[in-house]
């Protein structure tokens, strides 16, 4: 009936007809519509609303559990991150300590090597000075011995003959030549 009125309303736009329709209230249709609506609500509440609310409660509980699990995982991840950072800092400190120890050891070894080299140079210098002094003494002794033997030779020749100035000069030259040959 409402549908018929609607069709008439759309086809016949007479002002009197619209006014008459507005004044006429169909209470039977209103009561039937309200009754069916209440019946539909009761049926929905009994058969659909309960299971629907159960599903919604389960979904809310599942979401709450997932949020709680995510929060626990986040806290655990932060804890692990802090532990990893601490371990990384400790490893960095250990590496720095190892590098510092290696540097100190290398400096100590370098100092030891330099000191050892200095001692060796001083020992070699002392040894060389001693060898030079010994060689000098031997050379002086050899020169003295040569000089003594030449002096003895010259004296023996002088004693063997009377020496004139020419003989004396020849004797000196001969002694110098023999001294040169001895070297």
């Amino acid at each position: 009936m409402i549908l018929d009125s609607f069709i008439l309303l759309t086809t016949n736009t007479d002002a009197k007809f619209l006014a008459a329709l507005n004044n006429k209230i169909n209470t039977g249709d209103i009561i039937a519509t309200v009754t069916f609506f209440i019946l539909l609500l009761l049926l929905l509440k009994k058969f659909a609303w309960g299971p629907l609310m159960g599903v919604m409660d389960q979904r809310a509980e599942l979401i709450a559990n997932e949020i709680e699990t995510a929060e626990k995982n986040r806290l655990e991840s932060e804890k692990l991150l802090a532990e990893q950072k601490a371990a990384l800092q400790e490893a960095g400190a250990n590496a720095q300590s190892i590098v510092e120890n290696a540097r100190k050891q290398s400096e100590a070894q370098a100092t030891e090597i330099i000191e050892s080299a200095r001692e060796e140079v001083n020992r070699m210098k002392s040894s060389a000075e001693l060898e030079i002094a010994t060689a000098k003494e031997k050379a002086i002794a050899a020169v003295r011995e040569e000089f003594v033997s030449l002096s003895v030779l010259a004296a023996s020749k002088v004693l063997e003959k009377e020496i004139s100035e020419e003989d004396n000069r020849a004797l000196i030259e001969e002694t110098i030549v023999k001294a040169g040959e001895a070297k």
Side-chain angles (χ1 to χ4, degrees):
M1 178 179 230
I2 294 176
L3 187 56
D4 294 329
S5 299
F6 182 73
I7 293 172
L8 286 174
L9 178 67
T10 57
T11 58
N12 187 4
T13 56
D14 187 38
K16 287 182 188 180
F17 175 73
L18 289 174
L21 187 61
N22 283 336
N23 289 335
K24 184 178 167 184
I25 296 178
N26 191 354
T27 54
D29 285 343
I30 292 174
I31 292 172
T33 304
V34 169
T35 304
F36 283 128
F37 183 70
I38 291 173
L39 183 64
L40 180 63
L41 285 178
L42 290 174
L43 288 173
L44 281 174
K45 183 177 181 188
K46 182 168 181 149
F47 294 110
W49 193 257
L52 183 62
M53 288 310 290
V55 169
M56 294 301 282
D57 288 341
Q58 287 176 352
R59 180 77 176 141
E61 185 179 326
L62 178 66
I63 291 172
N65 286 341
E66 287 179 356
I67 290 172
E68 183 179 330
T69 303
E71 183 65 23
K72 285 180 184 177
N73 288 341
R74 185 186 63 80
L75 292 175
E76 186 177 334
S77 295
E78 287 177 355
K79 179 182 173 185
L80 289 174
L81 179 63
E83 289 175 1
Q84 290 298 322
K85 283 183 180 179
L88 185 61
Q89 287 177 346
E90 183 179 339
N94 286 344
Q96 184 66 26
S97 173
I98 290 170
V99 168
E100 186 65 25
N101 286 341
R103 185 187 59 79
K104 286 179 182 178
Q105 285 179 350
S106 67
E107 287 176 359
Q109 285 179 345
T111 303
E112 184 179 319
I113 289 170
I114 290 172
E115 189 61 33
S116 174
R118 283 184 183 154
E119 289 175 3
E120 182 66 18
V121 166
N122 287 338
R123 185 189 62 75
M124 289 172 64
K125 182 179 174 183
S126 297
S127 176
E129 287 174 351
L130 182 63
E131 285 179 22
I132 290 171
T134 304
K136 184 179 176 182
E137 287 176 13
K138 285 181 181 179
I140 291 173
V143 168
R144 282 186 187 155
E145 189 177 314
E146 187 67 29
F147 181 72
V148 168
S149 69
L150 288 178
S151 296
V152 169
L153 182 64
S156 68
K157 287 193 179 194
V158 167
L159 291 177
E160 286 180 6
K161 61 179 177 178
E162 238 181 77
I163 301 178
S164 65
E165 194 174 315
E166 280 181 10
D167 289 335
N168 191 20
R169 188 175 297 269
L171 183 62
I172 290 174
E173 286 178 10
E174 182 183 324
T175 304
I176 290 174
V177 168
K178 283 187 179 179
E181 291 175 1
K183 287 184 183 178

